[in-house]
Amino acid sequence: MNSRLINNFIKFDKRIISLNEKKIIELWFCIRYAVFYNHVSNKYFKNKKKTFFEYFKKFIFQILQSIKIIFFLFKRNEIIEIDVGRYKLYDRKFNSTINHILKKNKISFQTISLSSNSKILDNKINIIFFVNITHFFLKIFMKFRKKDFKDLSLIKKKFNLFFKNKKKIDFLNIYKSIYLQQVAIFLVIKFFIKLFRSKKIIYMENANLSKLIQYCGKKSIETFDVQHSLISDLNILYKFYISKSYKYLVTKNIIIWGKYWKKFYSNNSRCINNGYLEKKIKFNK
């Protein structure tokens, strides 16, 4: 992996943006991360095979995690934290950085979890089961999404021509496995956004949240990413090109741990320098 490859992806972003076709552009920005890693690696979709018992145990655990949702149906909260499972040790307990900061500053929020790390009896709403069910039905009915397939085919054709690509990237598999999962996550979390009447969403960004980020970008919902992953000129998640018309495609605010990191982000006017971990973050302004 090198900067030349990253720069070529940014050039391809410009080509897609220049089409000025909203649906095509939105689809590309949902799948570009997966396309990138399929382009540079053969291991992106290779998962360790599990036994029937492991799947069954996981299924039961997800149901048990989901049952407690009934206790949250009548709550209202302006701030939602999305827990994606990146935990560190804080006060001798494993927790997400966001959860730790919000609690430390006594900020009211509700956590929605996409992580198997969350426990059955914690105060997080685990939605993995609902996302999996939604994803399952989206795959069944995807044959009716003919416009998506047409757009996907156009992206594939342009990508292969631009990169003179000899390696076969399975765009259809990316669509089924990655894009439709993003749609499922978006649909489930959208339900809770409306239920809680939330106005601010904070998370540690990953590619699975792309469709949700686009939805929030079109609405008056503030999105916050917290610096967490490899921050360099080689991180395709944060290196991209968008025009002003399509700024809704990306997170509105990024909380960084010092001004030094700002230079590594595209559209870095979004960056909020928080300085150090325990400084109060003013989400309630």
Side-chain angles (χ1 to χ4, degrees), residues 196-208:
F196 297 150
R197 299 173 188 169
S198 302
K199 297 296 182 184
K200 296 178 175 70
I201 315 293
I202 180 168
Y203 44 75
M204 290 187 168
E205 186 173 343
N206 64 35
N208 285 333

Side-chain angles (χ1 to χ4, degrees), residues 42-279:
N42 294 318
K43 299 179 181 180
Y44 191 79
F45 282 113
K46 289 184 178 179
N47 296 317
K48 184 181 177 182
K49 290 185 178 180
K50 295 180 180 179
T51 64
F52 173 78
F53 176 73
E54 286 174 320
Y55 277 114
F56 182 74
K57 185 172 71 171
K58 188 176 180 180
F59 177 73
I60 296 298
F61 183 68
Q62 287 175 2
I63 290 177
L64 292 174
Q65 284 180 316
S66 304
I67 290 173
K68 62 185 177 183
I69 190 176
I70 58 175
F71 298 107
F72 298 92
L73 291 179
F74 302 102
K75 289 192 173 185
R76 298 290 179 269
N77 212 306
E78 187 177 327
I79 300 172
I80 288 177
E81 176 217 0
I82 300 176
D83 177 3
V84 295
R86 299 180 71 104
Y87 286 14
K88 291 184 178 180
L89 192 62
Y90 295 110
D91 299 329
R92 299 183 180 181
K93 292 180 181 179
F94 281 101
N95 198 0
S96 75
T97 300
I98 296 168
N99 198 286
H100 172 73
I101 292 172
L102 295 178
K103 283 182 177 178
K104 202 84 172 177
N105 289 287
K106 297 179 181 179
I107 296 172
S108 176
F109 68 100
Q110 178 58 55
T111 299
I112 292 177
S113 179
L114 287 164
S115 168
S116 56
N117 290 334
S118 63
K119 299 175 183 178
I120 293 173
L121 297 178
D122 61 22
N123 63 349
K124 300 178 180 181
I125 302 172
N126 194 295
I127 61 169
I128 295 176
F129 175 74
F130 301 109
V131 168
N132 288 342
I133 292 295
T134 306
H135 188 200
F136 174 77
F137 283 107
L138 285 172
K139 285 191 286 187
I140 289 177
F141 293 106
M142 73 175 190
K143 62 183 178 181
F144 299 109
R145 302 172 70 99
K146 293 182 180 179
K147 180 64 167 64
D148 278 3
F149 290 136
K150 184 179 177 181
D151 294 343
L152 186 71
S153 179
L154 179 63
I155 290 171
K156 178 181 178 180
K157 181 180 178 181
K158 287 188 173 295
F159 182 87
N160 288 334
L161 283 172
F162 182 83
F163 286 95
K164 298 180 175 58
N165 200 35
K166 295 179 180 179
K167 178 185 174 183
K168 288 186 178 180
I169 295 176
D170 193 342
F171 278 80
L172 183 59
N173 191 24
I174 290 172
Y175 179 87
K176 289 192 294 185
S177 303
I178 306 297
Y179 178 72
L180 290 183
Q181 185 184 50
Q182 292 177 6
V183 174
I185 289 170
F186 149 64
L187 290 174
V188 176
I189 295 180
K190 178 184 175 183
F191 168 80
F192 288 102
I193 289 173
K194 292 192 171 185
L195 180 69
F196 297 150
R197 299 173 188 169
S198 302
K199 297 296 182 184
K200 296 178 175 70
I201 315 293
I202 180 168
Y203 44 75
M204 290 187 168
E205 186 173 343
N206 64 35
N208 285 333
L209 300 178
S210 296
K211 197 65 181 175
L212 174 68
I213 291 168
Q214 291 180 8
Y215 166 75
C216 292
K218 296 174 185 177
K219 305 292 181 180
S220 57
I221 301 171
E222 286 289 306
T223 48
F224 297 83
D225 178 21
V226 176
Q227 180 184 333
H228 60 282
S229 63
L230 170 69
I231 306 300
S232 78
D233 288 327
L234 300 180
N235 189 338
I236 194 67
L237 187 66
Y238 296 117
K239 305 301 289 187
F240 53 80
Y241 170 82
I242 55 170
S243 61
K244 288 183 179 179
S245 302
Y246 293 99
K247 64 180 182 179
Y248 70 87
L249 295 171
V250 297
T251 298
K252 293 178 182 177
N253 306 283
I254 303 174
I255 299 165
I256 56 174
W257 307 122
K259 292 180 181 178
Y260 169 80
W261 303 105
K262 186 175 180 179
K263 62 185 178 183
F264 296 109
Y265 291 90
S266 295
N267 288 51
N268 60 19
S269 60
R270 305 175 295 150
C271 293
I272 301 169
N273 177 29
N274 194 45
Y276 62 96
L277 184 61
E278 303 300 342
K279 182 178 177 181

Side-chain angles (χ1 to χ4, degrees), residues 36-44 167:
F36 176 82
Y37 279 102
N38 269 261
H39 185 61
V40 300
S41 172
N42 294 318
K43 299 179 181 180
Y44 191 79
K167 178 185 174 183

